[in-house]
Amino acid sequence: MSNTDAEHSKRPDDTPFKQQRLKAWQPILTPNWVIGTFFVVGLIFIPIGVFLFEENKNIVEMSLQYDGVNMRAPSAADGVALQNFTLQEDMKAPIMVYYQLDNFYQNHRRYVSSRSDAQLRGEKAELPISTCTGSPGITSLKYNSTEDLAPGATAAYYRFNPCGLIANSLFNGTHTSSYLGQTDTYNGKEVVNLMDQSGLAWQSDIETKFQNPTTLDSEDMMLWQNPKYRFVIPARTGQERILNVTGWTTAAPLYGVETERFIVWMRTAGLPNFRKLYGKINTDLPKGTVLRFLVSSNFAVTPFEGKKSLVISTLSWYGGRNPFLGVAYMVIGSICIVLSLIFFAKHKMTPRKLGDTNYLVWKAKN
């Protein structure tokens, strides 16, 4: 072979790695090894499963459906309904507060793709935005968050900012919590301020994926200007709440698309029944405490035969209540123990000599 042919040859180098001559260990699965492995795996998995299952039982969780299928709309005054939780067990802080939606398909292909990540990062997007399906805007009055309209204000057409189905189907129910029958303060803190609204979203989302635009276009309708969301999304940092009206329960630490509840909503769920974190209660609550939630039920679920629920839950070191992991460990461990016993009985009753050539089948050549 000439030097030119050698340079262009596709033959691998004559090395142990490229010629697949590396030393290798190929274990032989003897009956004793198989029986022992199954038995040891079972002995390890079952205690782990029992431990996880018992840890899960220590998590206190309560849920209450307040709107949707199989129930009448809650009684309300001025659009606000009172929902009570009477705690059956002590609940240790932090107590997580979730809203749960059933039969809402956030995982639909067109729904998931209907957003503009560049716009959510505060960048100026070229119009029209092809990734934002659905209506690009609305003819409506334009508010400035909780402020009243000027006399004589008229409706006009505005573009949604941010655009897309996800942002403009934001869950806009509001929940505020307090002790039933308590005075205005508890341990020096306002009772209506039990629910903390920080630390809900992923820090990476807050820092890199969501940023308010530096300049506002008069033709755009921002979230806090939308009549549906003006009591849910603050218009500025430090904006004060309105008691039992606004979704934020303290002076707003963030505003617009940087609001953590909005960021939590934008991370779409993979299943039609899901929970999203709404707030945290950083106070231990003893058994028998009555928690009162004032719920503004603005998010319609009847058109898609859905349900809305409030969920409160404590946490363990590995998360919220879900018995699946502990049960899975116990089931797999039990199966391994049973298989090891079956193989052991089979091996003792009908043993088979290893390497016995009598079990080989030879096919003679014609």
Side-chain angles (χ1 to χ4, degrees), residues 65-73 102-103 301-309:
Q65 181 187 345
Y66 64 89
D67 195 7
V69 176
N70 299 328
M71 70 174 300
R72 294 183 299 177
D102 290 5
N103 206 35
V301 294
T302 304
F304 56 88
E305 298 181 349
K307 299 178 183 178
K308 283 187 296 189
S309 304

Side-chain angles (χ1 to χ4, degrees), residues 3-58:
N3 292 336
T4 304
D5 293 337
E7 291 176 0
H8 295 285
S9 174
K10 295 182 179 180
R11 180 188 301 170
D13 296 335
D14 188 16
T15 62
F17 178 77
K18 292 188 176 181
Q19 295 296 336
Q20 300 183 20
R21 296 196 301 265
L22 291 175
K23 294 181 180 180
W25 176 59
Q26 296 178 335
I28 299 175
L29 298 178
T30 64
N32 290 336
W33 266 105
V34 172
I35 293 169
T37 301
F38 272 120
F39 191 75
V40 170
V41 169
L43 288 181
I44 295 173
F45 272 42
I46 290 177
I48 293 176
V50 171
F51 173 73
L52 293 176
F53 189 76
E54 290 300 318
E55 282 290 305
N56 184 76
K57 287 169 60 177
N58 294 330

Side-chain angles (χ1 to χ4, degrees), residues 97-101 106 171 261 263-270 274-279 311:
V97 180
Y98 305 89
Y99 60 89
Q100 178 173 319
L101 292 178
Q106 267 200 322
F171 181 82
R261 287 171 180 162
I263 296 175
V264 169
W265 175 261
M266 292 299 293
R267 185 168 284 278
T268 53
F274 59 87
R275 297 174 182 176
K276 289 187 180 287
L277 188 58
Y278 190 80
V311 181

